Amino acid sequence: MSSLIELREIFFQECEEQLEDLTDGLNALDAAPEDADPDQINSMFRAVHSIKGGAASFSLDAIAEFAHEYEAILDELRSGKLVITREILAVFYRAADHLADLISCGAAGTDPDPDALTRQISEIESLSGTGLKPAQTDDFLAAFVPLAMGAEGPAPADVGMKIPHFDITFAPTAELYANGHEPAHLFRELESFGPLKVNVELDINAAWDQSDPAVTWHLNLATDRPENEIREIFEFAEPYANFQILCSQRANPVLPHPMAAADDMAAVETVADTDQLGSGETESPIVILPNQTSKPHAPRKSTVRVDLDQVDELINLVGELVITQSVMSQSLTEHSGVVSRKVAATLDDFKSLTRTIQEGIMAIRAQSVKPLFQRMARIVRETAQVAGKEVRFNVEGEDTEVDRIMIERLVDSLTHILRNAVDHGVETGPHRVQAGKEEAGSITLSAAHRSGRVVIEVTDDGAGVRRDKVLASAIAKGLIPKTAQLSDGEIDRLLFMPGFSTVEAVTNLSGRGVGMDVVNSEIRRLGGRVAIISSPGEGTTISISLPLTLAVLDGMIVDVGDESLVVPISTIVETIRPDASKIHQIGPSSRMIAARDMMVPIIELGQVFGYEGRSAPPNGHILIVVEDEKGEHFALAVDQIRDQRQVVIKSLESNYGHVPFVAAATILGDGQIALIIDLDEITHGISSTTSASGTHKRAYA
Amino acid sequence: MSISILTIDDSRTMRDLLRLTLEEAGFFVTTAEDGADGVQKLTDANPDVIITDINMPVMDGFEFIETVRGSGRNASVPILVLSTENSAELKDRARTVGATGWIVKPFNDTRLVSAIRRVARL
């Protein structure tokens, strides 16, 4: 089934899961140190324990050694010898990080930093209340400690030397057999120590239905092995027998083996070949049936590992299936006018099946953001440590599931945002106290599904964006003209401009050559957007909004001029056929509509896309009220709504680069190509011209 | 007829490693993820030897051994504990609940196999 190399891979995969469990436990402890849940501690212990076991099996000594130390201290915590404090917790966190480092070194096949290992080990050991014995390490690394099973081959018996003899009396109870023991096996082990004489004594007077075997073994073993090794062989069997060892220091020469001289006991039978001893049993607890070949096969595994490319290929194919299905539905309706009820029902089934398959396949790719968030927790810890700030890190919605490609591609961006938050967002302790805040800063990383998208936010309770500084810096760098009048939101958005950096001396933490502009473009590449919401003195939120998947979209197909466009359903609030009286002309080119007690600006989609010459008269328009990511409402004027369906996203970027106001394209059922509108880009163009007053706190780049 | 082994370990790595080692040795291997899973698979696996971890979620090794010893047909199967632990206290407990032997992880392939051959009642 699997090779050792594959097993190694599985081991490292499993390590990831265990590190997750460990971090979960630490977080739980962090949240409520005083009433630690024993189950949680146990599961932390188990995680480290399993890592240790696996690592040792693959000779990953550094991991095994460190995990061993960690486990030992967790054991003290478990048994209550160690009481958790903030300081201890910090060491635990660092140890978890170090363990993760060791594991990634192991996975990469590189050598871990020996100094760090020593340092971390001594840090852990310093916690121990009982004092860990380093000897334990060697102890557990001893490959195999045979107890009931004896060890190597026979000990060399030096003929003529004074070898001690042991007289062993062993009278088993029925329990012995019931616990899986077999006298013959035990004796064979003994025999590996040296020549063994075996006599068996049967009590012929015992009642036939007595449950205990009426048998006593008398053994004589000549060996120079110490008595405790002999006892070890019987270690597990001893409770189920009357067992005695007498060491006689008789200076007997080693008896030839096998030997048959009977002692003065009532020897009924003398057997030298211990292999035959099994016949002495009075019961036969195990009956091996002859038809054992028909045993069931190994249980099925609960997970399958699939190549990501294969999943992607499937997603692509299912996308084509969705298109084909809609082409078929459409052409059936068109050709026969009315489709028979049966065909219609089948078509419906087909449609919902296709959809279910699609969702199922998307779900395979979905992954919870938890591992990502845990990685980020570490970033925050380390950054805070270097920056000398105390930061509390909170996580919300870590079970939110996101396409795994997005998770992978979010790592760098989130890392950067969080480093920024620690470095530039949260103030230093004294500054915070001065500002009347708690000394420790707080950073929250959250994920949630919101109106068909995934929103990931990083919120700090720092000083907020220093707009004066940002503005000055942008002017100094020549990014904006001196005379520029910018709204607060626009100033905040300057942070996303290429080549911008607020702190003069770039620290080695956040300023690693990656600016927020890189974050911005990376998120955009995922079909997402970054927003910044900041209030002076209160903090900053960086909000990333991402599509659930990169493959499909629920869209409303609308006609504008002679073209078809797709409006993402997730953005639509309502559709209205407006009363002319409710449309108000504001200025020469903008109009508003009163919808639900709100004045909503109207956007002529035809105008935006340059179709206006072909547009129908405005009064005949249908308005689609949409909400953009800032939560602002706009009414898109279109000629006609065709239908609502799931469309397969085909990116234009690889062929055309970025097309303004267009997110992507799709192929409709009739083979026609329709553009999917980029609502935020459209509304942003509008709002920056209508809201120059600077009331917008949010600004999307 | 090959020896049938039931191995119980919550670590997938360990399970796979045991399976690989034991199948190579020509044993028939059934794996279970914890004690409860092991109990469930006991009848079908009909093992000649059971190898169990101690520290497992849901049902740990001790409880598992106790359950097996109190069960019907497979009650007296030799049970080897395979653990990274090696303390007298734990071994005592294992003995009390009815373990047949104790092997310390990480295991050495040939020794594990010979240990199994030695306790198997064939």
Side-chain angles (χ1 to χ4, degrees), chain A residues 47 144 178 296 302 339 396 413 436 481 495 505 533 605 607 617 634 670 676 691:
Chain A
F144 178 82
S302 52
V339 192
E396 286 166 15
S413 299
L495 295 175
I533 312 141
L605 270 190
Q607 233 169 47
F634 295 89
D670 56 6
I676 302 170
S691 66

Side-chain angles (χ1 to χ4, degrees), chain A residues 14 49 143 149 181 185 189, chain B residues 4 12-13 84 106 118 121:
Chain A
E14 206 181 5
H49 182 79
M149 282 129 297
H181 294 281
H185 292 312
E189 290 309 313
Chain B
S4 168
R12 180 160 36 118
T13 311
T84 44
R118 282 182 219 166
R121 285 174 173 147

Side-chain angles (χ1 to χ4, degrees), chain A residues 182 184-185 187-188 191 271-279, chain B residues 122:
Chain A
E182 175 61 73
H185 292 312
F187 300 164
R188 207 176 301 150
E191 204 182 15
V271 189
D273 185 357
T274 50
D275 280 345
Q276 293 168 10
L277 281 176
S279 55
Chain B
L122 288 177

Side-chain angles (χ1 to χ4, degrees), chain A residues 178-200:
Chain A
N179 284 289
H181 294 281
E182 175 61 73
H185 292 312
L186 298 170
F187 300 164
R188 207 176 301 150
E189 290 309 313
L190 270 186
E191 204 182 15
S192 71
F193 283 12
L196 179 72
K197 231 170 27 162
V198 183
N199 293 307
V200 70

Side-chain angles (χ1 to χ4, degrees), chain B residues 39-87:
Chain B
V39 171
Q40 214 165 49
K41 287 170 175 161
L42 189 62
T43 309
D44 279 350
N46 191 16
D48 299 313
V49 176
I50 297 173
I51 298 174
T52 181
D53 188 16
I54 286 296
N55 211 318
M56 294 181 288
V58 191
M59 186 195 274
D60 69 12
F62 296 126
E63 205 182 326
F64 168 75
I65 297 172
E66 255 180 334
T67 312
V68 174
R69 292 291 178 239
S71 71
R73 187 165 152 221
N74 287 295
S76 55
V77 181
I79 303 179
L80 300 179
V81 172
L82 181 62
S83 170
T84 44
E85 309 278 355
N86 193 11
S87 76

